PDB file of all heavy atoms in Angstrom:
ATOM      1  N   ASP A  13     -64.735  63.336   5.366  1.00 96.00           N
ATOM      2  CA  ASP A  13     -64.925  64.674   4.788  1.00 96.00           C
ATOM      3  C   ASP A  13     -65.989  65.510   5.496  1.00 96.00           C
ATOM      4  O   ASP A  13     -66.392  66.549   4.991  1.00 96.00           O
ATOM      5  CB  ASP A  13     -65.215  64.620   3.285  1.00 96.00           C
ATOM      6  CG  ASP A  13     -64.039  64.107   2.493  1.00 96.00           C
ATOM      7  OD1 ASP A  13     -62.887  64.418   2.871  1.00 96.00           O
ATOM      8  OD2 ASP A  13     -64.256  63.380   1.503  1.00 96.00           O
ATOM      9  N   ARG A  14     -66.442  65.057   6.659  1.00 97.00           N
ATOM     10  CA  ARG A  14     -67.403  65.841   7.446  1.00 97.00           C
ATOM     11  C   ARG A  14     -66.642  66.869   8.272  1.00 97.00           C
ATOM     12  O   ARG A  14     -65.496  66.666   8.662  1.00 97.00           O
ATOM     13  CB  ARG A  14     -68.219  64.959   8.382  1.00 97.00           C
ATOM     14  CG  ARG A  14     -69.127  64.002   7.678  1.00 97.00           C
ATOM     15  CD  ARG A  14     -70.284  64.732   7.047  1.00 97.00           C
ATOM     16  NE  ARG A  14     -71.162  63.712   6.475  1.00 97.00           N
ATOM     17  CZ  ARG A  14     -72.008  63.941   5.517  1.00 97.00           C
ATOM     18  NH1 ARG A  14     -72.116  65.139   5.009  1.00 97.00           N
ATOM     19  NH2 ARG A  14     -72.754  62.992   5.034  1.00 97.00           N
ATOM     20  N   PRO A  15     -67.296  67.976   8.598  1.00 97.00           N
ATOM     21  CA  PRO A  15     -66.626  69.019   9.376  1.00 97.00           C
ATOM     22  C   PRO A  15     -66.397  68.629  10.838  1.00 97.00           C
ATOM     23  O   PRO A  15     -67.137  67.832  11.404  1.00 97.00           O
ATOM     24  CB  PRO A  15     -67.593  70.207   9.284  1.00 97.00           C
ATOM     25  CG  PRO A  15     -68.892  69.647   8.853  1.00 97.00           C
ATOM     26  CD  PRO A  15     -68.630  68.356   8.163  1.00 97.00           C
ATOM     27  N   VAL A  16     -65.365  69.220  11.416  1.00 97.00           N
ATOM     28  CA  VAL A  16     -65.086  69.133  12.852  1.00 97.00           C
ATOM     29  C   VAL A  16     -65.411  70.512  13.419  1.00 97.00           C
ATOM     30  O   VAL A  16     -64.874  71.521  12.952  1.00 97.00           O
ATOM     31  CB  VAL A  16     -63.615  68.744  13.125  1.00 97.00           C
ATOM     32  CG1 VAL A  16     -63.331  68.755  14.618  1.00 97.00           C
ATOM     33  CG2 VAL A  16     -63.296  67.382  12.514  1.00 97.00           C
ATOM     34  N   TYR A  17     -66.314  70.523  14.394  1.00 95.00           N
ATOM     35  CA  TYR A  17     -66.806  71.770  14.972  1.00 95.00           C
ATOM     36  C   TYR A  17     -66.347  71.930  16.415  1.00 95.00           C
ATOM     37  O   TYR A  17     -66.135  70.950  17.123  1.00 95.00           O
ATOM     38  CB  TYR A  17     -68.346  71.792  14.992  1.00 95.00           C
ATOM     39  CG  TYR A  17     -69.000  71.805  13.649  1.00 95.00           C
ATOM     40  CD1 TYR A  17     -69.637  70.667  13.163  1.00 95.00           C
ATOM     41  CD2 TYR A  17     -69.010  72.958  12.875  1.00 95.00           C
ATOM     42  CE1 TYR A  17     -70.264  70.672  11.932  1.00 95.00           C
ATOM     43  CE2 TYR A  17     -69.636  72.974  11.638  1.00 95.00           C
ATOM     44  CZ  TYR A  17     -70.273  71.831  11.168  1.00 95.00           C
ATOM     45  OH  TYR A  17     -70.880  71.845   9.950  1.00 95.00           O
ATOM     46  N   LEU A  18     -66.283  73.187  16.849  1.00 94.00           N
ATOM     47  CA  LEU A  18     -66.052  73.507  18.249  1.00 94.00           C
ATOM     48  C   LEU A  18     -67.411  73.617  18.935  1.00 94.00           C
ATOM     49  O   LEU A  18     -68.289  74.353  18.474  1.00 94.00           O
ATOM     50  CB  LEU A  18     -65.289  74.819  18.397  1.00 94.00           C
ATOM     51  CG  LEU A  18     -63.848  74.804  17.892  1.00 94.00           C
ATOM     52  CD1 LEU A  18     -63.227  76.191  18.019  1.00 94.00           C
ATOM     53  CD2 LEU A  18     -63.033  73.775  18.647  1.00 94.00           C
ATOM     54  N   ALA A  19     -67.596  72.888  20.034  1.00 91.00           N
ATOM     55  CA  ALA A  19     -68.857  72.886  20.772  1.00 91.00           C
ATOM     56  C   ALA A  19     -69.205  74.300  21.245  1.00 91.00           C
ATOM     57  O   ALA A  19     -68.334  75.045  21.680  1.00 91.00           O
ATOM     58  CB  ALA A  19     -68.760  71.951  21.979  1.00 91.00           C
ATOM     59  N   GLY A  20     -70.473  74.617  21.136  1.00 87.00           N
ATOM     60  CA  GLY A  20     -70.947  75.909  21.614  1.00 87.00           C
ATOM     61  C   GLY A  20     -70.650  77.077  20.702  1.00 87.00           C
ATOM     62  O   GLY A  20     -71.199  78.145  20.868  1.00 87.00           O
ATOM     63  N   GLN A  21     -69.754  76.886  19.731  1.00 88.00           N
ATOM     64  CA  GLN A  21     -69.402  77.972  18.820  1.00 88.00           C
ATOM     65  C   GLN A  21     -69.913  77.717  17.413  1.00 88.00           C
ATOM     66  O   GLN A  21     -70.128  78.663  16.660  1.00 88.00           O
ATOM     67  CB  GLN A  21     -67.883  78.153  18.771  1.00 88.00           C
ATOM     68  CG  GLN A  21     -67.266  78.569  20.065  1.00 88.00           C
ATOM     69  CD  GLN A  21     -65.760  78.737  19.934  1.00 88.00           C
ATOM     70  OE1 GLN A  21     -65.233  78.942  18.849  1.00 88.00           O
ATOM     71  NE2 GLN A  21     -65.066  78.644  21.049  1.00 88.00           N
ATOM     72  N   GLY A  22     -70.042  76.436  17.048  1.00 82.00           N
ATOM     73  CA  GLY A  22     -70.472  76.100  15.703  1.00 82.00           C
ATOM     74  C   GLY A  22     -69.431  76.408  14.646  1.00 82.00           C
ATOM     75  O   GLY A  22     -69.701  76.347  13.461  1.00 82.00           O
ATOM     76  N   ARG A  23     -68.230  76.756  15.088  1.00 90.00           N
ATOM     77  CA  ARG A  23     -67.162  77.112  14.154  1.00 90.00           C
ATOM     78  C   ARG A  23     -66.452  75.847  13.668  1.00 90.00           C
ATOM     79  O   ARG A  23     -66.040  75.003  14.446  1.00 90.00           O
ATOM     80  CB  ARG A  23     -66.158  78.047  14.835  1.00 90.00           C
ATOM     81  CG  ARG A  23     -65.064  78.552  13.916  1.00 90.00           C
ATOM     82  CD  ARG A  23     -64.283  79.689  14.563  1.00 90.00           C
ATOM     83  NE  ARG A  23     -63.654  79.325  15.810  1.00 90.00           N
ATOM     84  CZ  ARG A  23     -62.355  79.007  15.923  1.00 90.00           C
ATOM     85  NH1 ARG A  23     -61.575  79.013  14.868  1.00 90.00           N
ATOM     86  NH2 ARG A  23     -61.847  78.696  17.097  1.00 90.00           N
ATOM     87  N   GLN A  24     -66.330  75.743  12.352  1.00 94.00           N
ATOM     88  CA  GLN A  24     -65.646  74.605  11.751  1.00 94.00           C
ATOM     89  C   GLN A  24     -64.140  74.828  11.787  1.00 94.00           C
ATOM     90  O   GLN A  24     -63.659  75.883  11.394  1.00 94.00           O
ATOM     91  CB  GLN A  24     -66.093  74.420  10.306  1.00 94.00           C
ATOM     92  CG  GLN A  24     -65.424  73.246   9.627  1.00 94.00           C
ATOM     93  CD  GLN A  24     -65.851  73.081   8.174  1.00 94.00           C
ATOM     94  OE1 GLN A  24     -66.976  73.402   7.822  1.00 94.00           O
ATOM     95  NE2 GLN A  24     -64.951  72.604   7.342  1.00 94.00           N
ATOM     96  N   ILE A  25     -63.388  73.796  12.258  1.00 94.00           N
ATOM     97  CA  ILE A  25     -61.935  73.941  12.339  1.00 94.00           C
ATOM     98  C   ILE A  25     -61.185  72.943  11.457  1.00 94.00           C
ATOM     99  O   ILE A  25     -59.961  72.966  11.416  1.00 94.00           O
ATOM    100  CB  ILE A  25     -61.436  73.831  13.791  1.00 94.00           C
ATOM    101  CG1 ILE A  25     -61.839  72.504  14.404  1.00 94.00           C
ATOM    102  CG2 ILE A  25     -61.930  74.999  14.613  1.00 94.00           C
ATOM    103  CD1 ILE A  25     -61.213  72.251  15.755  1.00 94.00           C
TER     104      ILE A  25
END
Side-chain angles (χ1 to χ4, degrees):
D13 294 324
R14 294 288 184 203
V16 176
Y17 295 107
L18 293 177
Q21 296 180 22
R23 184 168 59 100
Q24 180 181 328
I25 58 172

